[in-house]
Amino acid sequence: IKVYLSAVPTSSDDNDNDNDTDSEERSAELQRKGCLFLGALADSNPEAATLVKDADGLQAILNAAAWFKYHEPVIQWALWAIFTLCYDHKGNKRALMMTSTASRSSNVAKICTMMKDIPYSIEVQRHGMAILFDVLREIPES
């Protein structure tokens, strides 16, 4: 499995704001569906969850959430996908707990930032708290 989440190409007409908005919405929807797909692959299947993580799926989900950090549906499904990848899976929890060397911030801090950036979404808060509870109740050994 090789994981690719990429944006839909933008319009060739830079002066057309409607096309730019449409393109951005299509890109966000693609990322949302990508997160949903990766989470669905891992749901209740530890072997598939490991494959998704090994194919950089966890990082792809975090990247999608970082790019569309104020887009509620992307964040909601990114957090759900992270939860399904890590729920009762020590190896994936360990990967999630690692600090990103590129951004020098922890993935747990990124999850907290997602929750802070979209404070009025019950689903974002619910999925974020579920991840934090599951990961922090049993911190994996390094």
Side-chain angles (χ1 to χ4, degrees):
I1 297 175
K2 189 69 176 169
V3 177
Y4 293 102
L5 293 180
S6 63
V8 174
T10 59
S11 169
S12 60
D13 184 6
D14 291 338
N15 295 326
D16 192 355
N17 288 338
D18 289 338
N19 282 342
D20 288 345
T21 302
D22 290 345
S23 178
E24 184 176 329
E25 285 300 315
R26 285 193 308 270
S27 295
E29 181 63 8
L30 178 65
Q31 300 304 311
R32 183 191 73 80
K33 287 181 178 179
C35 291
L36 178 60
F37 176 71
L38 293 175
L41 282 175
D43 197 12
S44 300
N45 188 337
E47 294 84 17
T50 300
L51 288 173
V52 170
K53 189 259 308 168
D54 289 347
D56 293 330
L58 184 58
Q59 190 58 51
I61 293 166
L62 290 164
N63 290 344
W67 185 261
F68 289 98
K69 66 183 183 176
Y70 297 114
H71 196 278
E72 182 180 339
V74 173
I75 299 301
Q76 174 186 335
W77 290 103
L79 290 172
W80 176 81
I82 292 168
F83 177 77
T84 60
L85 281 168
C86 295
Y87 182 70
D88 283 341
H89 194 296
K90 288 184 182 185
N92 287 0
K93 286 180 192 180
R94 194 174 305 111
L96 182 67
M97 295 294 287
M98 293 175 56
T99 299
S100 171
T101 54
S103 66
R104 302 190 71 111
S105 67
S106 75
N107 292 329
V108 171
K110 291 176 187 178
I111 290 166
C112 292
T113 300
M114 289 179 220
M115 294 170 66
K116 180 181 74 77
D117 287 343
I118 305 181
Y120 301 109
S121 169
I122 292 172
E123 292 301 313
V124 167
Q125 301 305 314
R126 184 172 69 93
H127 294 312
M129 288 304 297
I131 294 167
L132 295 175
F133 177 77
D134 185 56
V135 169
L136 298 175
R137 75 183 164 99
E138 181 179 57
I139 297 176
E141 299 161 8
S142 298

